[in-house]
Structure formats: structure tokens, C-alpha cells
Amino acid sequence: VLGRRVLLGQSMVIVPSHGLERAAREQWKLKNVCRVENGIDLVRFDRPQPERESLTIGSLGSLRPEKNYGRLIKAFRALESNYDAQLKIVGDGTERQSLAVLIGDTSNISLPGATSSPAEAMATFDVFALSSDTEQAPISLMEAMAAGLPVVSTNVGDIREMVSDKNKPYITELGDERAYQTAMKALIESPELRKTIGAANQEKARNTFSRDRMIDRYTEIISEIVRC
């Protein structure tokens, strides 16, 4: 660990999130730190949202403890009886069995398993939800924004900085379960709100999270290092 710290102190260190940048500068005391946001293939996710009779709140990610999908399930259950809505959590992992027990025989909450096509999964969502206790800069959030989805999430990692200004009120403080439920309720109730926020998120994704932009930034950094 000490050797790694010495080498890092003499090197350019590239990180993908504000949180890791702060840690590198403030905790590790590194001087030469550069933040480069990860990028995705935006075109894959830019699909028209079809008209659907019922609304789907969706999430996509590994079923791990820190994702706290139990929070999402409980918030949805508190609202489900009032709306024609379903919750779909796409992914697999160590928490699958415990989540299945929590869901029980509820017919409008599903765990369809892992997918090799996140774009197809996102195309079935009307609202994207994250309920994590900790994050950095989630790729799934970038994908949801590229798909033109509004987001309800806990305020962890870079999430509030990543979403559009219009979406920020629906990123709630960690531990405030009532605020999280209220944010979800607002997005369920208003198609116009979902459309407006989704369009703003998509525009933010195009300007910030494109794969080409990421590649160009790495190219600039590597070219500068080579010249030195």
C-alpha cells in the first residue's frame, strides 16, 4: 500500500467522479488529479418511449446490499394501491433471495434477472429509480438519462450533480424515506413532469456523458503526457 501511494504521488491519477476526486486530493493528498466522466454509447439508449397503459418504475444494477433495493420496494409498496403501476428491478446478485422474500406474492413487483441489453430494459421503464446507500457515478444513471427517463434517487455519490437541474428536487437525502416516497409519487402522478425532466436529463447526458467526449478527453491527457 505504501509503495502504491508513492507511485500515485508521482503520477497522473484519473478518476471518474467528484467523490473520488475529493478523496484523492483531501485524503490521499495527491497533487496531480484529473477527473474524466465515464462515457456511454448514447445512440443505443435514444429510443422513443411507447405508449403504455400502466406505468413502470425500473432499476438496473447488481443486487448487492449497498444498493438497498429494499428501500425502493418499501417506497413503492406504500404507493402502489393508489396507482396502476409496477416495479421492475433488473439485475442479479447476492440479495436476490432476500428481495424475493420481501416481495412475496406481490404481482406488480418483479425481479426479471440480469440482462445483456440495458438499452432494451430502459425502454420498458417510465421512471428510473436508485435507492443506494453509497454510489460514485453510476453508469446505469447515465444510461437512464440517455434514454430520456426522469430519476428518483437517494442523494449519494455524484448523483445530484449528474442529473439535470429539473431533476434535482427528486434526489432526496439519504435516510429521509418520506421524501423519497413523495418524490416517487410526484413522478408517478404527472406524465408531463416525467416528459419534461426526461428531456432535460437526455440533453444533459448528450452534453456530458458521451463516449466520444470521454475518448477525446483521454486522448488529450495521453498526448500531453507523451509530449512531456
Side-chain angles (χ1 to χ4, degrees):
V1 172
L2 180 59
R4 189 158 56 237
R5 287 290 179 89
V6 171
L7 289 173
L8 287 174
Q10 299 170 352
S11 306
M12 162 75 77
V13 176
I14 301 174
V15 294
S17 73
H18 290 275
L20 286 176
E21 183 179 19
R22 285 190 291 268
R25 294 184 186 280
E26 297 171 10
Q27 297 178 27
W28 304 344
K29 308 300 181 184
L30 302 180
K31 304 298 183 184
N32 197 11
V33 180
C34 180
R35 176 172 48 83
V36 180
E37 288 90 355
N38 287 322
I40 61 171
D41 182 358
L42 297 172
V43 176
R44 287 178 59 202
F45 294 88
D46 189 2
R47 303 182 180 193
Q49 294 290 329
E51 293 291 330
R52 288 185 279 263
E53 292 185 4
S54 65
L55 177 141
T56 297
I57 295 176
S59 194
L60 191 155
S62 297
L63 308 186
R64 303 194 304 266
E66 66 270 20
K67 297 293 184 179
N68 200 343
Y69 286 118
R71 171 183 287 122
L72 175 56
I73 291 168
K74 290 173 185 176
F76 179 79
R77 271 190 158 168
L79 300 170
E80 62 174 325
S81 61
N82 299 317
Y83 305 99
D84 183 13
Q86 60 178 317
L87 173 62
K88 184 188 298 185
I89 302 173
V90 178
D92 208 349
T94 57
E95 294 295 289
R96 183 180 180 85
Q97 185 57 41
S98 62
L99 292 174
V101 170
L102 181 61
I103 292 168
D105 58 359
T106 306
S107 61
N108 58 346
I109 305 178
S110 62
L111 300 171
T115 179
S116 60
S117 180
E120 290 183 7
M122 292 290 181
T124 69
F125 299 165
D126 298 286
V127 176
F128 183 72
L130 284 169
S131 49
S132 304
D133 293 327
T134 181
E135 288 283 358
Q136 286 299 326
I139 295 291
S140 62
L141 176 58
M142 298 177 193
E143 294 170 342
M145 292 172 65
L149 295 175
V151 176
V152 58
S153 177
T154 46
N155 182 24
V156 291
D158 281 13
I159 289 175
R160 181 168 283 171
E161 295 166 302
M162 292 170 70
V163 300
S164 66
D165 288 342
K166 292 183 184 298
N167 201 146
K168 292 186 191 302
Y170 307 93
I171 310 302
T172 65
E173 293 307 312
L174 185 64
D176 191 342
E177 312 305 345
R178 184 178 293 277
Y180 186 81
Q181 181 181 318
T182 299
M184 183 184 294
K185 180 176 183 287
L187 291 174
I188 289 175
E189 289 183 340
S190 176
E192 188 59 36
L193 184 63
R194 296 196 300 270
K195 182 178 179 181
T196 300
I197 294 175
N201 279 346
Q202 191 170 58
E203 183 65 23
K204 177 76 178 288
R206 288 168 178 165
N207 293 333
T208 310
F209 303 127
S210 76
R211 184 175 59 185
D212 290 343
R213 184 177 186 273
M214 176 188 69
I215 291 171
D216 288 345
R217 187 70 185 104
Y218 273 109
T219 301
E220 290 174 7
I221 293 171
I222 292 170
S223 297
E224 184 177 332
I225 292 171
V226 170
R227 283 197 299 271
C228 294

